[in-house]
Amino acid sequence: MELLAKGQRLPLAGVLAGSTLQIGLSAQGLALDFACFGLDGGGKLSDERYMTFFNQPRTPCGGVEIRAVPGDAAGFAFDLGRLPATVERIVIAASVDGAGNMAQIREGQLRLLDGGREIARFPFVGADFARETAVMLGELYRKGGEWRFMAVGQGFDGGLDALVRHFGADVAAPAASAPAPSTPSAAELAKVSLAKRVEREAPQLVNLVKQAGASLQQVGLSEHRAKVCLCLDISGSMGKLYRDGLVQKFAERILALGCQFDDDGEIDVFLFGKNVHQPVPMSLANCTTYVKQAITHHPLEGDTLYGRAMQAIRAFYFPDAAGGERLKPLAAALPVYVMFVTDGGTSDKSLTEKQLRWASHEPIFWQFMGIGAGRKSSNKLLAAFADSDFPFLEKLDDLGGRYIDNANFFSVSAPDEHSDAQLYALLMNEYPGWLTLARSKGLLS
């Protein structure tokens, strides 16, 4: 039996005998109601019938149903093979039944069982929460065609009704009197000021910034602050993507995310091929022609070196280690979110793996995105028969020997394959869980 910490992930393929799973739930000191939400790729209920709770005990497909688990106060049974492809995530949540808040829990647990055999346990106590009246305890999610579980433990204000609204369903709300006016906080004033700057300096980004904000709100990060870094492959095979303006449009989408994570209206940029370059930051003032200007000053190069790019980024944000070995946790007030874009493999795999392991001790999250087929494989025959266009990036996603899991990977056929909402959902797929784990491991102060 494995004991799970907040943010920890567990692949189910290696521990389940089949596709069925039971989850038992209990908490002492507070009466709770439990519910499951079957969500689509955008983080919304794929169908309101996929909210499983006391008034709706079974999904239409039979993939989720309320079922007693011996030794626990409540339980759910899952037949993951029955769930439609539209259900990509299942969030297991709890809300206070009556008065009280989550801080009153003396001790609680979520248990994963296979035919009565306990395979993992996620314990939680009231000290893990504040005065929230609901909590997202765990999540089952698809990755690479397989199901995984993540221990979440994230408090949520507003109870069950707020959770239902958060996941996109309608709740009949009682009439309420208008709230009393309040004095805006410094953070709120900064966001208003930035919104006006976007309208004035980069009006083409207004809708993007709003969509990024809506997507962050869906995952509980509307008030989150972070530094954002865009790392772009400038090797020769990327040429058409640059000429067609697809990299420019993608960079603008990341700048919009940066405008939500910070109020300075800019993101840091690194370019890499054979060498690594750091042009001036991309900002509201220079974003319209930013990529064209960057490529003019730093023309496309031969070779692709992930490791050297990662080393330069780490040295920039955490100069004490100069991009070298780090074996102890480093805490910082703000995390760094790196959007790492490439269209092929790297020539420095060993250094790349070292960089990712060393960086796992730092408050930096690596979101890798592979574009198109892995055209840069040195062995075309092996590339043609590989299980993935980006086997090395997939390896990095599950790399062993790290302090915490600090990376995620997905691939696209082109940078504009997904809508803005779909892209931001992909970018936030694992980041919220990493934040929780990074805090628990002392990487964020």
Side-chain angles (χ1 to χ4, degrees):
M1 189 272 292
E2 186 169 356
L3 198 62
L4 302 176
K6 282 186 180 181
Q8 189 170 345
R9 295 170 174 79
L10 177 69
L12 298 180
V15 295
L16 287 183
S19 63
T20 59
L21 168 74
Q22 300 84 45
I23 288 184
L25 301 147
S26 60
Q28 297 180 16
L30 189 65
L32 297 178
D33 289 325
F34 298 96
C36 285
F37 298 86
L39 310 180
D40 60 21
K44 297 297 185 182
L45 275 168
S46 62
D47 182 321
E48 290 193 9
R49 296 174 299 169
Y50 279 83
M51 176 183 170
T52 310
F53 66 123
F54 52 86
N55 276 344
Q56 189 166 266
R58 190 175 186 271
T59 59
C61 65
V64 184
E65 63 178 293
I66 293 177
R67 186 182 299 174
V69 174
D72 290 297
F76 293 91
F78 302 86
D79 189 340
L80 302 175
R82 289 189 176 188
L83 290 168
T86 52
V87 176
E88 296 190 13
R89 299 163 50 202
I90 301 173
V91 172
I92 300 96
S95 59
V96 175
D97 179 13
N101 59 71
M102 293 297 170
Q104 295 172 270
I105 296 174
R106 290 198 297 273
E107 59 180 22
Q109 62 183 18
L110 179 154
R111 299 193 303 144
L112 281 72
L113 303 101
D114 181 14
R117 175 180 61 90
E118 185 174 356
I119 55 179
R121 179 181 300 187
F122 172 44
F124 53 92
V125 295
D128 296 332
F129 313 109
R131 301 185 64 82
E132 302 97 335
T133 53
V135 62
M136 290 181 276
L137 292 171
E139 179 179 317
L140 295 162
Y141 65 99
R142 300 181 195 260
K143 185 166 185 180
E146 296 181 346
W147 284 93
R148 299 185 179 194
F149 174 81
M150 180 172 69
V152 179
Q154 178 182 335
F156 198 94
D157 288 327
L160 182 61
D161 286 357
L163 273 173
V164 173
R165 284 191 291 267
H166 175 73
F167 292 128
D170 294 326
V171 176
S177 58
S182 59
T183 303
S185 67
E188 290 170 335
L189 289 173
K191 293 199 78 169
V192 171
S193 175
L194 181 61
K196 291 180 178 178
R197 281 187 57 201
V198 174
E199 292 179 0
R200 183 176 64 252
E201 300 177 32
Q204 76 276 16
L205 297 185
V206 169
N207 289 335
L208 274 177
V209 173
K210 289 181 180 177
Q211 180 58 65
S215 298
L216 293 178
Q217 187 175 19
Q218 290 176 9
V219 294
L221 296 183
S222 57
E223 301 300 320
H224 178 63
R225 294 293 171 261
K227 302 174 185 177
V228 176
C229 172
L230 176 60
C231 185
L232 294 172
D233 184 342
I234 58 167
S235 54
S237 60
M238 290 279 293
K240 189 174 188 305
L241 297 174
Y242 282 101
R243 290 192 300 272
D244 291 348
L246 297 181
V247 177
Q248 169 68 32
K249 291 179 181 178
F250 183 82
E252 290 178 358
R253 296 163 103 181
I254 302 305
L255 176 59
L257 178 67
C259 287
Q260 290 292 347
F261 274 169
D262 204 345
D263 58 17
D264 61 2
E266 65 180 37
I267 58 174
D268 298 310
V269 178
F270 285 78
L271 310 173
F272 73 99
K274 181 180 180 181
N275 302 298
V276 182
H277 312 277
Q278 186 183 6
V280 298
M282 184 178 187
S283 67
L284 296 175
N286 66 15
C287 66
T288 305
T289 60
Y290 183 86
V291 170
K292 180 179 179 181
Q293 295 298 324
I295 296 303
T296 298
H297 287 93
H298 305 288
L300 303 185
E301 305 173 351
D303 211 348
T304 308
L305 300 172
Y306 297 176
R308 289 186 62 181
M310 295 173 71
Q311 185 176 35
I313 292 170
R314 291 182 57 232
F316 175 71
Y317 289 108
F318 313 111
D320 63 304
E325 184 176 23
R326 189 187 299 280
L327 300 177
K328 294 183 178 180
L330 174 71
L334 291 178
V336 180
Y337 183 100
V338 179
M339 184 70 232
F340 195 104
V341 179
T342 182
D343 75 334
T346 182
S347 300
D348 61 353
K349 291 183 178 180
S350 177
L351 177 60
T352 301
E353 291 182 9
K354 289 178 181 178
Q355 287 294 323
L356 194 59
R357 289 191 178 102
W358 295 338
S360 70
H361 294 86
E362 298 165 345
I364 183 167
F365 181 82
W366 304 86
Q367 177 61 68
F368 294 100
M369 184 179 83
I371 303 175
R375 294 187 293 273
K376 297 181 203 171
S377 172
S378 59
N379 188 317
K380 294 182 179 179
L381 182 62
L382 288 178
F385 289 94
D387 292 334
S388 166
D389 289 330
F390 299 94
F392 183 64
L393 285 177
E394 288 199 343
K395 178 182 179 182
L396 292 182
D397 194 6
D398 294 313
L399 188 67
R402 290 177 290 170
Y403 181 59
I404 62 171
D405 182 353
N406 59 341
N408 187 37
F409 162 70
F410 65 89
S411 62
V412 295
S413 59
D416 60 349
E417 176 181 349
H418 297 293
S419 69
D420 298 330
Q422 291 170 334
L423 175 67
Y424 291 130
L426 285 170
L427 299 186
M428 292 299 109
N429 185 32
E430 292 196 7
Y431 182 63
W434 173 83
L435 285 172
T436 300
L437 190 56
R439 293 188 187 101
S440 70
K441 292 291 187 177
L443 299 183
L444 291 174
S445 57

